[in-house]
Amino acid sequence: MTLSLQSFAAGRWVAPQGNISTLKSAVTGRAVAEIGSGGLDFATMAEHARSTGGPALRALTFHQRAALLKALAQYLNERRDPLYELSYDTGATRSDSMIDIDGGIGTMFVYASKGRRELPDDTIYIDGALEQLSKGGNFLGQHVATSLQGVAVHINAFNFPVWGMLEKLSASLLAGVPAIVKPASSTAWLAEAAFRMIIESGILPDGAVQFVAGPTGDLLDRLTCQDVVSFTGSAATARMLRANPHILGNSVRFIAEQDSLNASILGPDAAPGTPEFDAFVREVHREMTAKAGQKCTAIRRILVPETHRAALIEALSEKLAATRIGNPRDEATRMGALASLAQRDDVREKAEIIARDARLVFGDLRTVDAAGADTDAGAFLSPLLFACDDPDGATAIHAVEAFGPVSTVMGYRDLGHALALANRGGGSLVASVFTHDPRVARSVVEMAGAFHGRLYFANRDTGKEATGHGSPLPHMIHGGPGRAGGGEELGGIRGVMHYMQRTAIQASPDLMTAITKGWVAGSQTIEKDRHPFRMTFGELEIGHTLRTESRVVTLDDIEHFANFTGDTFYAHMDEEAAKANPFFAGRVAHGYLILSFAAGLFVDPAPGPVLANYGLDNLRFMKPVSPGDSLTVRLTAKHKTRRNDEYGEVRWDVGVYNQSDEQVASYELLTMNAM
C-alpha cells in the first residue's frame, strides 16, 4: 500500500496536493509514499505558530516545558516498533534504525533532564554572573535570555529522519519556541509517522509543532527577526538557503550543520598490534558501513603513519570483505542500502572524482553482492576504500565528499603533517585521534582544534565506554567551522540558547531582584519575627533575612578545632610562623571553623520544613579572623526552585561579618525545603 503523507498545518492534517512526488523504497524500488505540499498556506502556518503555539509555550516555565519533553519521549519510546518497520524501506538495518529512532528519543530524554536540572523554574534564564557597574553598588548589570517570539523552521536531512527531527525539537521547545518541521522528502514517511505520534499524544499545546510534507514554498520569505532556520544537509543546499534575500535582509538566524570531510588519525604511537591500532580499524569500518556511510560525521579521510599504511589497508579490507550487504530486514545483514537510487548515483559520481586523486583498493563502483535483494531495484553500493599516494598534491580528497560508504587512506610523515592534512578539509564536524600519548592529544587540540567542532580521542582506556567517532551526543555541541556550516546544534543548554535572545539588563538592586527573581546584594531585605527555617517552601519569600547574635572566637576555640579535626596547619597553631605570613598578623581561625560557627548562629535546630543541607557554592574567605574577633551572620533567601510536589530547593545568601562589620566570609547555602 502506498502511503499518502500528510502535512500538519494550523492544527489540521492536509493531504498531499499540487505537484505530487512518489517516494520509493531504497531496498526494493517499490512505491512507498506520495508527497506534496501544494495545498499549504505558509503565511497562515507561520502566524499560527507565532500567535498560538508561541504564547502557549512561553507561558510555561523551563521546568514545565521539560516535563512535556519527558512525557513525549516516554510516549514515543513505547511506540518504536512501527517506526522500525517503516525504517527498513529507508535502507536502514535494525541497528541503523536504533541510532536514528532510539537516539532521537534518548536526546529528548537528555534535554528533559537538563531542563529540570540546569534551567530555572522560570521563563527568564540568567546568563552568567552579576556585574557591579558602580562603586556604590546601586547600579548593576546582568545578562538574561528570553524566548524568541517567532517560529523555528527545522529543515532536516534524509539520513536520520527521526533523530534529526527530535534533536531540533528538544532544544526549540525547551526554549519556548514553536517549530515547523520540514523533513527531507526521500525518507519523509518515517518522519511523518513519528510526527503523527507526537500529535496523537496530545502532550504539546496547539501550535507548538507543524509539519510540511513536501517543498516549503514561500515559507522562508515569511520569516522575521524573531524566527530561526535550523538546517541540516549539504553545503550546497545551505548556501542556497542562506542566500535568500529575505533571510539576509531581516537578519533571520540561520543555523547550519553541514556534511564535512571528517578525518580520523591513527596516532604516531599506535603501531599494528597495539590496542589503539585495533580500535582504529574497528572504528573506521563501523563508520564506513553504519547507515551505509550516510552520516554527516562519518570518516571520509583516514590518516595513518606512512609506515603503517599498508597494514591498515590490509586490516580494513579484511573487515570490509567480511561485511554482509543485503536486505536490511535480514538480521544477518550488516550494511543496508543507500537512501535512494539518486543518492547511490550521486555517491558513484563523487567517488569517480575522488578516483582522480586516489586508487581504489577495495570495492567496486558498479557491482555489489546484496544478499536477499535486487541490486538493480535497490540502492545498494559496495564499500569503496581508496588510497592516496600523494595527499599533499591531491585536491579532490580534501574537497569532495561522497556521502556513502566511501573513505580514503593517506599516509603522513609526522604529527604536524597529519594535522595539516586534517585541516585541509576546511572545517569539519569531528576529527578523531587514536593515541595513548598525552603529548599527542595536547598537540592535536592546539594545532587542529580551530578547524573541528568536536575532537574525539580514543585509546585502550576509553574502551567500551566511548561512544564512537560518529556519535554526536546531546551534551556536547554538534557543528563545526567552515565547510561544516559554522553553526552548532545540541551542546546541552547551549543548543537552547540558539532560540533565545540574550539581553543586557542594567538596573538598581531592587529592580534586578524583581527581574531575576533572585535576591541581589543591596536590594531590600525582609525581616520577620519568625525564623526563615520555620517556613515552608511556599511561605518563604525571596529576601527574607535573619541577622544573628554575635559569637566571640577564642584561642581555645581555634586550638580545640585544630586538635579535634587534625588540621594543625601552622597559621592556626604557630604564632611566629603565622606572623611571618604576609596575609596574617598572627594566628587565625580555620575557615571551616568560621563556617561551623556561622551555622551554629543561624540554624534553627528543631524539626521543621528544612529537610536537608546539601551543599555550599561560591565559598570565599575575605578577611582573616583572629582570636578575640566576634562573628555575626546575615542569612537571606536568595532563590527558590521547585523540584516536585513535596519539596523545593532554596538557595541562601550567607554573609559572615566581624565586630567592625567587615565581611570575612560569603557563600551560598543550598537546602531542600518541604512544600
Side-chain angles (χ1 to χ4, degrees):
M1 183 184 73
T2 302
L3 301 172
S4 179
L5 302 189
Q6 295 183 311
S7 298
F8 188 74
R12 65 186 184 91
W13 290 100
V14 181
Q17 299 178 39
N19 186 15
I20 306 297
S21 299
T22 299
L23 308 181
K24 296 183 178 181
S25 167
V27 180
T28 65
R30 71 174 181 85
V32 174
E34 291 183 338
I35 190 170
S37 58
L40 298 182
D41 183 336
F42 292 104
T44 298
M45 292 181 71
E47 179 57 29
H48 183 66
R50 296 188 190 107
S51 63
T52 303
L57 288 171
R58 293 195 299 274
L60 304 174
T61 68
F62 290 109
H63 286 196
Q64 290 170 324
R65 297 171 203 156
L68 295 183
L69 290 182
K70 182 178 180 180
L72 188 55
Q74 290 172 331
Y75 185 89
L76 295 173
N77 198 49
E78 295 167 356
R79 292 161 176 81
R80 289 171 293 167
D81 286 344
L83 300 179
Y84 292 145
E85 182 60 31
L86 289 170
S87 185
Y88 286 127
D89 277 316
T90 71
T93 65
R94 181 61 176 259
S95 60
D96 292 338
S97 298
M98 291 177 69
I99 297 172
D100 182 29
I101 297 165
D102 296 48
I105 294 170
T107 295
M108 187 164 277
F109 272 124
V110 169
Y111 268 90
S113 176
K114 281 186 168 290
R116 289 282 295 176
R117 292 184 292 106
E118 299 179 28
L119 294 174
D121 190 17
D122 195 3
T123 56
I124 296 176
Y125 175 72
I126 310 304
D127 184 17
L130 188 73
E131 299 285 349
Q132 296 288 337
L133 303 180
S134 65
K135 290 183 178 180
N138 292 319
F139 188 52
L140 306 174
Q142 176 69 65
H143 289 98
V144 303
T146 53
S147 306
L148 289 173
Q149 298 183 21
V151 59
V153 177
H154 294 166
I155 303 174
N156 297 323
F158 68 83
N159 53 336
F160 289 107
V162 177
W163 180 86
M165 175 172 65
L166 297 186
E167 61 98 356
K168 287 185 175 69
L169 283 177
S170 296
S172 64
L173 293 176
L174 188 54
V177 177
I180 297 175
V181 177
K182 195 285 180 207
S185 293
S186 60
T187 55
W189 63 84
L190 180 54
E192 193 249 29
F195 186 89
R196 188 173 289 274
M197 291 178 182
I198 292 174
I199 298 303
E200 289 173 349
S201 74
I203 291 169
L204 299 178
D206 183 26
V209 290
Q210 298 176 81
F211 187 85
V212 178
T216 54
D218 64 353
L219 176 59
L220 298 187
D221 295 328
R222 305 287 181 178
L223 304 184
T224 73
C225 67
Q226 289 294 299
D227 302 320
V228 181
V229 176
S230 183
F231 168 84
T232 300
S234 71
T237 304
R239 281 194 299 271
M240 181 267 292
L241 296 175
R242 208 193 289 260
N244 181 299
H246 188 81
I247 288 178
L248 294 173
N250 289 275
S251 298
V252 176
R253 296 188 188 188
F254 192 97
I255 305 166
E257 184 268 291
Q258 301 168 189
D259 307 328
S260 60
L261 291 162
N262 310 297
S264 188
I265 303 171
L266 180 67
D269 57 306
T274 64
E276 287 71 35
F277 183 90
D278 295 341
F280 184 77
V281 173
R282 290 193 300 269
E283 190 69 15
V284 174
H285 172 260
R286 178 169 64 174
E287 288 302 310
M288 288 186 67
T289 57
K291 290 289 288 186
Q294 299 169 112
K295 295 169 62 178
C296 58
T297 54
I299 296 170
R300 305 302 179 194
R301 296 177 300 149
I302 307 164
L303 281 61
V304 302
E306 180 61 39
T307 53
H308 304 326
R309 186 159 66 112
L312 184 281
I313 291 173
E314 180 181 358
L316 184 55
S317 296
E318 183 179 332
K319 287 190 71 68
L320 291 172
T323 302
R324 179 184 172 97
I325 303 168
N327 190 325
R329 283 186 168 83
D330 185 344
E331 292 184 0
T333 296
R334 292 297 173 263
M335 189 177 107
L338 278 76
S340 66
L341 291 175
Q343 180 61 24
R344 183 197 63 185
D345 293 343
D346 181 74
V347 172
R348 284 175 172 169
E349 178 185 328
K350 297 300 195 314
E352 288 174 346
I353 298 174
I354 292 172
R356 299 171 190 170
D357 280 349
R359 52 192 169 85
L360 187 63
V361 294
F362 181 87
D364 191 297
L365 268 169
R366 297 298 165 188
T367 62
V368 59
D369 292 328
D374 183 342
T375 56
D376 292 324
F380 294 94
L381 183 68
S382 163
L384 302 173
L385 182 65
F386 289 89
C388 180
D389 299 325
D390 182 18
D392 293 315
T395 56
I397 61 172
H398 303 300
V400 177
E401 179 183 27
F403 199 73
V406 183
S407 195
T408 303
V409 181
M410 58 196 81
Y412 67 80
R413 296 182 300 274
D414 52 37
L415 182 61
H417 185 215
L419 298 178
L421 292 173
N423 295 346
R424 279 190 62 186
S428 79
L429 297 173
V430 56
S432 57
V433 184
F434 286 70
T435 181
H436 200 243
D437 187 338
R439 295 168 299 178
V440 170
R442 169 76 182 191
S443 296
V444 170
V445 175
E446 288 180 329
M447 299 170 65
F451 287 83
H452 310 282
R454 176 165 58 92
L455 289 174
Y456 172 84
F457 292 94
N459 59 28
R460 67 197 70 180
D461 300 326
T462 55
K464 294 182 179 180
E465 293 186 356
T467 51
H469 164 104
S471 299
L473 299 176
H475 317 71
M476 312 298 290
I477 61 167
H478 179 46
R483 183 189 175 100
E488 291 179 359
E489 295 178 330
L490 302 176
I493 302 306
R494 294 175 183 85
V496 178
M497 293 299 108
H498 295 313
Y499 301 95
M500 305 189 76
Q501 176 61 47
R502 183 180 291 108
T503 303
I505 305 297
Q506 296 170 295
S508 67
D510 284 336
L511 292 182
M512 193 66 77
T513 293
I515 292 168
T516 63
K517 292 187 177 180
W519 182 85
V520 300
S523 62
Q524 292 183 359
T525 57
I526 304 167
E527 298 189 34
K528 300 182 177 181
D529 293 337
R530 192 177 175 192
H531 193 288
F533 278 20
R534 309 312 304 166
M535 296 186 175
T536 64
F537 183 88
E539 294 172 330
L540 187 64
E541 296 179 70
I542 297 299
H544 188 162
T545 296
L546 170 71
R547 300 181 190 276
T548 73
E549 300 294 327
S550 64
R551 173 171 180 170
V552 175
V553 178
T554 68
L555 189 59
D556 286 344
D557 292 330
I558 296 172
E559 291 181 346
H560 175 75
F561 190 86
N563 292 322
F564 180 71
T565 63
D567 180 0
T568 56
F569 186 62
Y570 76 87
H572 313 307
M573 303 299 288
D574 187 328
E575 183 71 20
E576 293 303 316
K579 284 182 178 179
N581 187 309
F583 293 103
F584 308 132
R587 294 169 69 178
V588 296
H590 305 68
Y592 292 103
L593 181 148
I594 296 171
L595 295 187
S596 298
F597 279 11
L601 288 168
F602 68 69
V603 164
D604 185 302
V610 176
L611 304 175
N613 163 2
Y614 75 99
L616 302 176
D617 283 345
N618 303 315
L619 172 63
R620 294 292 183 274
F621 297 111
M622 291 106 114
K623 189 177 180 63
V625 172
S626 302
D629 286 348
S630 62
L631 304 178
T632 59
V633 180
R634 175 197 43 79
L635 175 75
T636 303
K638 180 174 184 174
H639 193 266
K640 301 197 305 180
T641 302
R642 182 188 181 94
R643 292 303 180 195
N644 54 40
D645 292 337
E646 297 182 1
Y647 58 84
E649 173 193 295
V650 178
R651 184 175 292 267
W652 305 84
D653 187 275
V654 183
V656 184
Y657 301 85
N658 64 18
Q659 65 276 8
S660 301
D661 204 30
E662 298 170 315
Q663 191 162 7
V664 300
S666 69
Y667 57 97
E668 294 176 357
L669 171 70
L670 305 176
T671 63
M672 283 298 180
N673 288 41
M675 299 303 289

